[in-house]
Amino acid sequence: MPGKGERRGRAALVVLGDIGRSPRMQYHALSLARQACLEVDIVAYGGSDPHSAVLEHQSIHIHKMKPWPAIPHLPKLLQPLMLLFKPVFQFVMLLWFLCVKIPAPDVFIVQNPPSVPTLVAVKWASWLRRSKFVVDWHNFGYTLLALSLGRSSPFVAVYRWFEKHYGKMANGSLCVTQAMQLELAQNWGIKATVLYDQPPEFFHPTLLEEKHKLFCRIDKNLDDSCGHQDCVSHGKDELNPNATLFTTQVGTDIILNQNRPALIVSSTSWTPDEDFNILLEAALMYDRRVAAILNEDDSTPEDVLSREYCAGKQFLYPRLLFVITGKGPEKQKYEEKLRKLKLKRVAFRTMWLSAEDYPLLLGSADLGVCLHTSSSGLDLPMKVVDMFGCGLPVCAVSYSCIKELVKVEKNGLLFSSSSELADELMMLFKGFPDECDALKLLKKGVQETRSSVSWETEWEANAKPLITEVISGNF
């Protein structure tokens, strides 16, 4: 804490992306301002609003850069040129903001990936402004680039060289898993401190009254079935203005509807490292298996089921409503696939929620699904951390280090195929909402294993000492 009359220290957070979709960097900003008592400048793109706690903090200042202009239908021959011109444009933009637009910081903290040109620009800016810089390794940029270009591409090799060369120039490093820490130490010559993601204080289980208010706010989004009727287009009391698909207010009391659908949330960036087809195929399998168990055939009219739902009838296996949140490049492609699905007991909705409503939705859901596979196999999905913070059990794709986060049959389950996910959905939701014992056990496990280590205590123990030492020049 600076004394009276002393210069207040300053940190600059650099995100070559939408700051509203960079939760870890938002939490860094809050901790730097609150716990390290620093002035904080965030240099990033706009697009989505960050959490109100970030926007309202007097010591946090957001500087929005202009993004690279989108060029639709670019000829294939020109695509390699764009791979060169785009980083040059971004490099110049970053240097302008880091060297001119913001006050000189004591330390730059940069999110990686993307690595090019971010690490280069931050290194140059730190040299020009006599500042230190720290890399927060979320993943490896070259592995993400390899998803689209292939591992053998010369662009990937060049990208990896820049990432490793400039990453080693940092004055300090943070990373998200022990597996990544080991990889950086053994193969990159970089000493990194593990800072596990933890949910901040505004990720917590949602109270019943909060659930009802949320469902009232997003009711139109839940009704929007892309122009066709599905299993959740009906089923609520249309005559009662205080009724939603999941809750009903009677006087001052709020109750959960007995014949409500099971609510499953999946947050995605709609990128190639998340295979959304797994979820679509699992939904189709669930739909067909339930129909077979109930001796239904394809000729059973959908309006018969709709009338039964409206009448309050419950089935051994419930309707499933998947709410898919997030923005990203492959969203439109999958929305077109969703419109073509013919499902009787499963429905999908895609939406983007505010930073305040997103944790409320997680805390109102019955299950989370994570399709993140990691391009490097060394990072962990932040969305699962948030789900656990809200008391939500998870079914997640299995990959090398996911067990650092998901404890099987304690706070979640893992799957490697759509068939395994369908099996888990059948097992967890049998007897929903009252008799689904397997789901209740997972929910109890999440509550028991909800880490006593909050983001604030994790940051205080691991990030603050590193950043303090880097600023003082002792690291």
Side-chain angles (χ1 to χ4, degrees), residues 52-70:
S52 58
V54 174
L55 293 172
E56 294 167 5
H57 201 290
Q58 293 184 345
S59 296
I60 299 176
H61 320 280
I62 300 176
H63 309 265
K64 295 181 181 179
M65 300 180 291
K66 288 186 179 180
W68 171 257

Side-chain angles (χ1 to χ4, degrees), residues 74-82:
L74 186 70
K76 199 167 184 179
L77 287 173
L78 296 179
Q79 289 178 5
L81 289 176
M82 289 303 102

Side-chain angles (χ1 to χ4, degrees), residues 123-140:
K123 175 56 188 173
W124 283 32
S126 69
W127 175 68
L128 290 168
R129 309 207 76 171
R130 298 181 179 180
S131 305
K132 305 295 174 62
F133 93 96
V134 171
V135 180
D136 189 13
W137 296 83
H138 297 194
N139 199 348
F140 292 116

Side-chain angles (χ1 to χ4, degrees), residues 241-351:
N242 295 317
T244 73
L245 189 62
F246 299 93
T247 56
T248 301
Q249 183 171 352
V250 182
T252 57
D253 295 328
I254 296 170
I255 59 172
L256 288 168
N257 302 334
Q258 276 296 108
N259 71 326
R260 66 187 182 274
L263 178 58
I264 304 172
V265 176
S266 183
S267 175
T268 178
S269 53
W270 302 99
T271 51
D273 64 344
E274 296 183 333
D275 186 358
F276 200 69
N277 284 313
I278 292 177
L279 185 56
L280 299 188
E281 291 167 5
L284 186 61
M285 290 177 189
Y286 176 91
D287 204 61
R288 289 177 175 172
R289 290 178 190 179
V290 173
I293 289 170
L294 299 178
N295 293 317
E296 295 176 355
D297 56 40
D298 292 340
S299 63
T300 305
E302 290 184 28
D303 61 330
V304 171
L305 290 175
S306 296
R307 286 197 298 272
E308 290 175 338
Y309 290 134
C310 287
K313 182 175 179 179
Q314 287 182 258
F315 295 86
L316 179 63
Y317 293 92
R319 295 169 288 168
L320 303 183
L321 173 58
F322 289 90
V323 174
I324 316 298
T325 71
K327 297 177 181 178
E330 298 198 337
K331 182 179 179 181
Q332 187 175 356
K333 179 181 83 172
Y334 281 109
E335 282 183 329
E336 291 174 3
K337 287 189 175 185
L338 290 175
R339 280 190 282 269
K340 295 175 182 177
L341 287 177
K342 299 295 182 182
L343 303 172
K344 293 182 179 180
R345 282 188 165 80
V346 183
F348 286 86
R349 299 291 185 270
T350 60
M351 61 179 73

